[in-house]
Amino acid sequence: MLLKGASLVHFHPPGLVKADLRVEGDTIVARGPRLRPKRDEPVEDCRGKLILPGLVCAHTHMYSALSRGMPGPTSAPTSFPDMLARVWWKLDQALDEEAIYYSAMVGAVEAVLAGTTTIVDHHASPNAIPGSLDIIREAFGVVGVRGVLCYEVSDRGGLRRRDAGLAENDRFLSATRTDPQFRGLVGAHASFTLRDTSLAALGDLVRYHRSGIHIHVAEAKEDVERTETAHGCGIIDRLERRGLLNDHAVLAHGVHLNDKDLARVESGGAWLVHNPRSNMNNGVGHAPVERFGERAALGTDGWPADMLAEARFAHFRLRERLGLRGAFPVASLLEGGQQLASGLFGVPFGSLAPGCAADLVVCDYVAPTALSAGNLGGHLLSGLQPAMMTGVMAAGRWVCRNGVPVNIDVEAVYCRARQVAAAVWRRMRG
Ligand SMILES: [Zn+2]
């Protein structure tokens, strides 16, 4: 396929170049000013349009998709752990196979509608663990989005569930070693719900699969406090001692990490994922994102995987906290997610260049002011909207055209999702 005449965007450092792109299979194979169509090659006229590299959501939970509008607890949670116990752990315990499938379908649909072509998911369903990651894989496969999946290992549900979670990660990592559309990570809940033997078992899996851990780190202050009380050290100490700060590790949140912790995360090569909407909604504090270093990305932590919306929240919250000193280039977090995907898939993402993944977003964006590489950040923050995305391609396949996911019947999926969600909510009450 030949995409002709668009302006090609690079998020960070900001870049804007007019060129044609040729896609073959799941890869961009050529880029140039006037590529000639080959015989019978489909040609897409993209004159006047922007093409963005496909967006990456670097931390989320698809199972939250069926919690929208869910009745809250009868009294307000008194702390973050209290909210986990009374809301989110009740929800994940109420999930069955069908709920896993439909939440993944709904979450994937929302992602592609917003130009997100890779989702790094962190899954938990304590009453339906074996095979749960395959269910998400199936749903993502139908919609056409890429997935990096893991099962959240924790001691909160006892040894049997912990071991089932370890086995599910192990199985999925083996099954997707060479899958072009999926990868696994070693999922773990958080330091405060993992004893030493469990962390050691996670470390064994990471080394065996040459993979990375995907874990919540210092999201709320209780994770830090309980780790210090129970283990006499910090969260980063524990991860470092088990060899878990490698370059595939995905550490979500990092709200309560100090400068020393951040330096050790950075020197270990691990990724930090900022989730501003979730942090603000949970009132857990604000991550020192301007000190996260180069290996930082953006996640939505259960909110719809609209990365441009998340980037706006990151920008506004930073400005609110730091005032006009808060000049951190938020677009670098979008590019960070693409670099994370590059490392996990072993293929370059994020630049629309030959040899890169054919994951891209065609935008019908009419700029009301001058648009250049120099002011691209301003247009991304205050101009570009999902409604302008006329074509979303993942792994060389169109997954969304003119605001409509092309591979599924959205109305039928949402109709069944509503019934499935009602059953989940009933089980939560019971
Ligand atoms: Zn999370």
Side-chain angles (χ1 to χ4, degrees), residues 59-61 63 122 152 214 216 219 252-253 275 278 300-302:
H59 172 76
T60 192
H61 309 273
Y63 63 79
H122 192 271
E152 174 201 291
H214 182 179
H216 298 105
E219 177 175 4
H253 298 288
N275 302 269
S278 164
T300 55
D301 201 27

Side-chain angles (χ1 to χ4, degrees), residues 74 80-81 96 145 249 370-371 385 417:
T74 45
F80 183 67
D96 61 7
V145 71
L371 170 62
Q385 299 289 342

Side-chain angles (χ1 to χ4, degrees), residues 53 71 85 213 222 233 253 258 293 303 346 354-355 361 395 411:
I213 195 167
E222 287 86 351
C233 66
H253 298 288
N258 59 36
W303 291 83
V361 186
E411 207 174 302

Side-chain angles (χ1 to χ4, degrees), residues 22-183:
R22 172 167 286 125
V23 171
E24 286 178 9
D26 60 3
T27 307
I28 294 168
V29 296
R31 163 177 168 153
R34 274 179 296 279
L35 299 180
R36 286 172 178 274
K38 294 180 179 175
R39 183 196 292 257
D40 299 329
E41 185 178 37
V43 177
E44 181 97 0
D45 182 1
C46 296
R47 280 173 300 177
K49 299 190 178 185
L50 293 182
I51 298 185
L52 319 179
L55 295 154
V56 175
C57 179
H59 172 76
T60 192
H61 309 273
M62 285 288 112
Y63 63 79
S64 296
L66 297 188
S67 70
R68 190 169 307 163
M70 185 173 77
T74 45
S75 60
T78 55
S79 66
F80 183 67
D82 186 38
M83 188 179 63
L84 289 178
R86 291 170 59 201
V87 179
W88 300 112
W89 292 350
K90 279 196 164 178
L91 172 66
D92 67 24
Q93 286 176 51
L95 297 172
D96 61 7
E97 279 83 0
E98 195 179 18
I100 297 168
Y101 182 76
Y102 278 94
S103 60
M105 286 290 263
V106 169
V109 163
E110 291 183 335
V112 296
L113 285 170
T116 298
T117 51
T118 300
I119 299 169
V120 183
D121 190 61
H122 192 271
H123 175 68
S125 51
N127 291 314
I129 300 174
S132 55
L133 299 182
D134 278 352
I135 298 171
I136 301 172
R137 181 192 196 179
E138 187 189 340
F140 280 15
V142 171
V143 177
V145 71
R146 291 186 201 253
V148 178
L149 311 182
C150 71
Y151 188 87
E152 174 201 291
V153 171
S154 167
D155 288 319
R156 69 173 151 106
L159 279 182
R160 190 181 59 81
R161 283 176 171 150
R162 180 202 69 172
D163 291 344
L166 287 164
E168 181 63 2
N169 283 308
D170 185 23
R171 187 192 65 71
F172 191 77
L173 278 156
S174 295
T176 53
R177 203 178 292 277
T178 57
D179 190 312
Q181 207 175 328
F182 293 92
R183 284 291 182 274

Side-chain angles (χ1 to χ4, degrees), residues 107-390:
V109 163
E110 291 183 335
V112 296
L113 285 170
T116 298
T117 51
T118 300
I119 299 169
V120 183
D121 190 61
H122 192 271
H123 175 68
S125 51
N127 291 314
I129 300 174
S132 55
L133 299 182
D134 278 352
I135 298 171
I136 301 172
R137 181 192 196 179
E138 187 189 340
F140 280 15
V142 171
V143 177
V145 71
R146 291 186 201 253
V148 178
L149 311 182
C150 71
Y151 188 87
E152 174 201 291
V153 171
S154 167
D155 288 319
R156 69 173 151 106
L159 279 182
R160 190 181 59 81
R161 283 176 171 150
R162 180 202 69 172
D163 291 344
L166 287 164
E168 181 63 2
N169 283 308
D170 185 23
R171 187 192 65 71
F172 191 77
L173 278 156
S174 295
T176 53
R177 203 178 292 277
T178 57
D179 190 312
Q181 207 175 328
F182 293 92
R183 284 291 182 274
L185 284 170
V186 177
H189 174 244
S191 174
F192 77 97
T193 68
L194 287 162
R195 58 171 73 95
D196 281 339
T197 47
S198 302
L199 212 53
L202 289 159
D204 290 344
L205 264 188
V206 163
R207 276 181 291 283
Y208 178 76
H209 289 283
R210 297 181 182 180
S211 182
I213 195 167
H214 182 179
I215 184 169
H216 298 105
V217 166
E219 177 175 4
K221 64 181 186 335
E222 287 86 351
D223 192 14
V224 178
E225 292 165 356
R226 292 186 187 187
T227 297
E228 279 170 1
T229 303
H231 304 282
C233 66
I235 298 167
I236 298 303
D237 294 314
R238 292 190 80 203
L239 297 178
E240 198 172 43
R241 281 176 202 166
R242 300 287 174 189
L244 291 168
L245 296 180
N246 66 16
D247 60 1
H248 285 167
V250 176
L251 314 183
H253 298 288
V255 174
H256 297 278
L257 294 181
N258 59 36
D259 282 348
K260 200 171 141 219
D261 291 333
L262 292 172
R264 288 152 75 201
V265 169
E266 196 171 3
S267 66
W271 287 90
L272 278 164
V273 180
H274 183 39
N275 302 269
R277 276 187 292 188
S278 164
N279 294 161
M280 291 164 78
N281 185 53
N282 291 332
V284 292
H286 186 254
V289 61
E290 74 284 4
R291 288 180 276 130
F292 270 11
E294 301 260 301
R295 291 169 78 81
L298 208 52
T300 55
D301 201 27
W303 291 83
D306 178 344
M307 306 319 295
L308 292 177
E310 198 71 35
R312 288 185 181 111
F313 276 88
H315 171 79
F316 295 133
R317 184 63 183 94
L318 189 75
R319 274 293 166 96
E320 185 182 56
R321 186 166 63 92
L322 298 181
L324 295 176
R325 290 184 296 119
F328 176 78
V330 166
S332 71
L333 295 173
L334 299 174
E335 205 264 343
Q338 294 159 344
Q339 291 304 318
L340 168 64
S342 303
L344 293 170
F345 282 94
V347 177
F349 286 68
S351 6
L352 301 166
C356 290
D359 290 34
L360 53 86
V361 186
V362 181
C363 300
D364 203 350
Y365 177 62
V366 182
T369 59
L371 170 62
S372 66
N375 69 6
L376 183 63
H379 285 270
L380 289 175
L381 274 178
S382 63
L384 208 60
Q385 299 289 342
M388 300 167 184
M389 297 174 176
T390 55

